Amino acid sequence: MAQNLTRDEVKQKIDAGAVTVLEALPESYYKEAHLPGARNLPLDEVDTLAPGLLPDKQAEVIVYCTGTTCPNSGIAAKRLIELGYERVYTYKDGKEDWIGAGLPTESA
């Protein structure tokens, strides 16, 4: 099971540039707004996109979606672990928490 990170922990890892951040939502949500540097990984494409987005199975990965009521981050994280990724985290509070704290987002 993936460990859940707080907003502050996620921000610290993003600021350090030591993590791959993945938004587990459809592309339309991703294009609208996503966490800085995040890549899009829709649930129905985890198996096909993960190897290209995450070539190093020991790299740190944070998966998030909209917020605590969205199960996508946990589902995607579980699948990544099943695929052999070893350092997978979730940010269950997600984009709603990030935006609510006034932190910047990017759009595609």
Side-chain angles (χ1 to χ4, degrees):
M1 177 140 207
Q3 176 186 347
N4 187 48
L5 299 179
T6 66
R7 176 187 346 109
D8 291 339
E9 292 169 321
V10 171
K11 185 174 182 330
Q12 184 177 39
K13 288 183 179 292
I14 289 173
D15 289 348
V19 67
T20 300
V21 182
L22 301 172
E23 180 171 292
L25 291 167
E27 186 177 4
S28 60
Y29 287 85
Y30 173 79
K31 285 182 175 182
E32 192 175 301
H34 53 269
L35 272 60
R39 309 284 301 274
N40 189 220
L41 184 68
L43 282 182
D44 60 348
E45 298 183 59
V46 171
D47 289 6
T48 56
L49 292 179
L53 294 172
L54 305 165
D56 179 0
K57 291 198 175 187
Q58 281 80 42
E60 286 191 311
V61 180
I62 298 171
V63 185
Y64 74 95
C65 59
T66 54
T68 57
T69 60
C70 177
N72 292 20
S73 59
I75 294 168
K78 180 179 182 221
R79 184 63 189 137
L80 289 171
I81 291 168
E82 291 169 351
L83 292 170
Y85 294 92
E86 298 177 10
R87 299 171 69 193
V88 180
Y89 304 96
T90 56
Y91 173 32
K92 290 186 180 182
D93 293 334
K95 193 170 10 182
E96 292 170 350
D97 177 61
W98 188 269
I99 292 169
L103 295 170
T105 60
E106 298 174 343
S107 60

